[in-house]
Amino acid sequence: MEIRIGIINTGRELNFETSTSPDDVRAQVTAALEQNAAQVSFTDVKGNSYIVPTANLAFIELGTEESRRVGFVA
């Protein structure tokens, strides 16, 4: 699943793919915001970790878990 995170006062977005389900990511972000946590962390499919301050979150877009098609469609 692809995650796109917008950060306040930053012209670029953070994009990465993760093997975590959309429901788990949504629950993790919701819990961090409700508990006033200083940051929320994510791990991508390559094992890289991303720590994002919750105070600077503009948006989080969760993609679908649909696999990408390979080849040409007639």
Side-chain angles (χ1 to χ4, degrees), residues 5 10 14 18-19 26-27 36 39 51 54 58-59 61 65 73:
I5 300 173
T10 304
L14 178 61
T18 184
S19 58
R26 191 175 294 112
N36 293 328
Q39 69 228 1
I51 299 172
T54 55
F59 68 87
E61 180 180 300
E65 291 183 284
V73 178

Side-chain angles (χ1 to χ4, degrees), residues 1-5 16-33 40-43 60-63 65:
M1 172 189 69
E2 183 178 350
I3 296 179
R4 190 172 74 149
I5 300 173
F16 59 93
E17 293 202 19
T18 184
S19 58
T20 309
S21 74
D23 291 333
D24 290 343
V25 172
R26 191 175 294 112
Q28 180 182 1
V29 171
T30 301
L33 292 173
V40 62
S41 63
F42 304 98
T43 303
I60 297 179
E61 180 180 300
L62 304 176
E65 291 183 284

Side-chain angles (χ1 to χ4, degrees), residues 59-72:
F59 68 87
I60 297 179
E61 180 180 300
L62 304 176
T64 61
E65 291 183 284
E66 179 180 317
S67 61
R68 295 181 184 204
R69 297 180 185 160
V70 178
F72 296 97

